[in-house]
Amino acid sequence: MALTEKGAARRRRKVEALERPDYGWIWKPLLALVVIYLLVTVALGIWWSRPPAAFDVEQATAERRGEAASSPAARGAVTTTSLMTVVSTLLDKPGGYLRNDIAPPGLWLDNMPQWELGVLNQARDLSRALPAMEEGDHPVLEEVVERLDGSSRDWLYPSTEQRLEQALVALDEYLVALGESGGAGFAAAAGLAAWLEQVAWRLDDLGLRLSASVGSREQLRNLDIATGDLPPRTPWYRVDDIFFEARGTGWALSRLLEAVRRDQADVLERAGVSGEWEMLVAELERTQRRLWSPVVLNGSGFGIFANHSLVMANHVIRARDLARDLVAALEAPPAGLAAPEALEDEGPVEPPVEAVERSEDAGGESPPPALASPEEAREDERTGEPAPLSEPDEAPVPEADQDESTIPEADQDEAPASPAEGDPDEE
């Protein structure tokens, strides 16, 4: 009987195990997979969030041109290759283009996508200025503008990556045309002022948004910022986004300005703005200094926490002022071509007095005795002829009784004009 009960209990346990299985062991490998996935995505996120280093524009030009680098290219080759390098960096950096990602870890990141936005804005601004800089007419430049002006978050066809690749193909075609004999290239100083004006506007907008994250308006007034024009205060979770957009803007703009300086060196030298141009590049390079804090801090004053947004706003506003000064210098007329209004303000210019030598053969009357040389006066004394106006026997004539006949010829010319013909104040 006991054996029969034990057998029946074993059968019931088997039936219950089959009908109601115990899956308690499955959560352990699933938990391990989730932990591994999170560790991998966090590591990738840290790696992908590191901004790329600055590139050398001359080296980038040599690599892009390849075998044609040994032959000279038209003006604008360095600017074109630098724009191509900036655009290709968005595609080739670790993680590729992240702004349109819809899956982790790109979906979780916000610093690098904002950095990409700053770089893309500068590439768009320069591409719009290229047709004005070009001496000839290249329709391929309009294609570059069209490809770069699309949405930065497109992930369906055509995605942002595909349009960036198409823009690179068009720029490469234009670079080949610059290397050919007879290529038009950039015109000297054409479009520079308009492009720098757009750069100054972009920097001014960034400076205002960076300053809006600062709580104290007194600190902003010390930076010569109009606090009344500031946008609403930036939320704390958006402070790092604007900060990294400014870093991307500074990274791309410093490289593009350096490239334009190489192409337009003679123009900047004639305008006398080479030093200011280098100062602008140096100011933008300061925005790329290493951020030692793992997060963007928003401290105040001389507290224990720094205010990274305020420091970045200082560099950006300084760069904006330098860009505006360059625009004014490039738009000013040459020194030799002053405006008519400026000439009128200078007042009348007296003609130079030139000494005239009287020739011995020249005809005409002799100079008045009063203007005779000392040698002629002594000769008159020896001959006994008295000089006019010096006769001692002649009585002085009162001034009222003198008429024009008694006034010597030399004195008639210096006689004052009548009140009717003289100064109106004497009437």
Side-chain angles (χ1 to χ4, degrees):
M1 189 66 180
L3 294 175
T4 305
E5 291 179 356
K6 290 181 179 179
R10 284 197 296 270
R11 287 193 295 272
R12 285 195 300 270
R13 286 196 296 271
K14 291 179 179 180
V15 172
E16 290 177 357
L18 292 175
E19 292 180 354
R20 293 187 297 273
D22 186 8
Y23 297 107
W25 59 272
I26 296 179
W27 67 271
K28 295 180 181 180
L30 290 178
L31 180 60
L33 289 176
V34 171
V35 171
I36 293 173
Y37 173 76
L38 291 177
L39 290 176
V40 171
T41 53
V42 169
L44 286 177
I46 295 175
W47 181 32
W48 292 357
S49 296
R50 298 184 62 183
F55 61 90
D56 183 76
V57 295
E58 294 288 349
Q59 182 180 357
T61 303
E63 293 176 355
R64 288 283 177 180
R65 296 190 64 199
E67 298 179 355
S70 58
S71 60
R75 187 197 300 265
V78 182
T79 303
T80 304
T81 53
S82 298
L83 178 59
M84 294 175 64
T85 306
V86 167
V87 175
S88 63
T89 301
L90 295 174
L91 300 173
D92 301 336
K93 65 179 178 60
Y97 187 76
L98 303 176
R99 188 164 176 79
N100 61 348
D101 282 7
I102 58 175
L107 180 63
W108 299 342
L109 303 178
D110 59 348
N111 294 342
M112 182 51 64
Q114 292 299 123
W115 185 91
E116 293 171 346
L117 177 62
V119 174
L120 187 58
N121 284 335
Q122 292 305 316
R124 288 170 173 172
D125 292 343
L126 182 58
S127 66
R128 297 188 189 104
L130 286 181
M133 295 181 179
E134 171 60 36
E135 189 174 2
D137 185 14
H138 281 268
V140 70
L141 296 179
E142 300 295 337
E143 182 181 355
V144 174
V145 176
E146 181 181 356
R147 299 304 179 190
L148 293 179
D149 276 348
S151 174
S152 62
R153 294 189 179 275
D154 286 342
W155 58 275
L156 289 174
Y157 183 85
S159 62
T160 305
E161 292 91 338
Q162 292 172 332
R163 288 188 284 100
L164 293 179
E165 291 175 354
Q166 293 171 355
L168 285 175
V169 172
L171 286 172
D172 186 66
E173 180 181 348
Y174 177 66
L175 181 62
V176 172
L178 290 178
E180 295 176 352
S181 58
F186 286 5
L192 273 184
W195 175 57
L196 286 175
E197 189 173 359
Q198 176 66 22
V199 167
W201 176 86
R202 187 79 67 179
L203 293 174
D204 183 64
D205 177 67
L206 273 175
L208 290 177
R209 289 191 285 141
L210 285 167
S211 304
S213 63
V214 180
S216 175
R217 292 298 187 259
E218 182 179 356
Q219 295 176 345
L220 300 180
R221 284 191 289 269
N222 293 336
L223 291 176
D224 196 17
I225 299 175
T227 56
D229 299 335
L230 289 178
R233 185 173 180 179
T234 306
W236 63 269
Y237 55 87
R238 291 277 298 167
V239 170
D240 57 337
D241 297 347
I242 302 175
F243 179 85
F244 278 93
E245 182 183 348
R247 282 177 73 92
T249 299
W251 181 87
L253 188 55
S254 64
R255 297 300 87 204
L256 297 178
L257 284 169
E258 181 66 22
V260 174
R261 186 179 71 85
R262 302 297 178 91
D263 281 331
Q264 306 280 359
D266 55 338
V267 175
L268 302 181
E269 188 68 25
R270 288 197 302 269
V273 295
S274 299
E276 289 79 359
W277 198 281
E278 293 177 0
M279 290 174 58
L280 175 57
V281 175
E283 195 69 38
L284 291 170
E285 288 177 348
R286 291 190 182 98
T287 64
Q288 305 304 305
R289 289 179 294 181
R290 184 172 181 179
L291 182 65
W292 293 97
S293 174
V295 294
V296 177
L297 300 177
N298 196 23
S300 60
F302 293 98
I304 59 175
F305 295 109
N307 194 316
H308 296 143
S309 297
L310 187 60
V311 175
M312 181 66 73
N314 187 20
H315 293 308
V316 169
I317 292 172
R318 172 62 177 161
R320 176 205 63 187
D321 295 340
L322 288 172
R324 288 176 176 175
D325 293 342
L326 287 172
V327 171
L330 291 174
E331 290 181 345
L337 300 177
E341 295 79 2
L343 295 177
E344 293 178 359
D345 295 340
E346 295 180 357
V349 180
E350 297 182 358
V353 179
E354 298 182 358
V356 179
E357 297 182 358
R358 185 179 183 87
S359 175
E360 296 178 357
D361 299 333
E365 299 178 357
S366 59
L371 302 179
S373 61
E375 291 78 5
E376 295 175 350
R378 286 193 294 270
E379 185 177 356
D380 294 340
E381 292 177 359
R382 287 194 299 269
T383 56
E385 297 179 359
L389 301 180
S390 60
E391 297 179 357
D393 300 333
E394 185 177 352
V397 181
E399 183 179 358
D401 299 335
Q402 289 182 358
D403 55 5
E404 295 183 357
S405 60
T406 60
I407 300 177
E409 181 180 359
D411 296 337
Q412 290 181 11
D413 297 337
E414 298 177 359
S418 60
E421 299 175 359
D423 192 354
D425 296 336
E426 297 178 2
E427 295 180 359

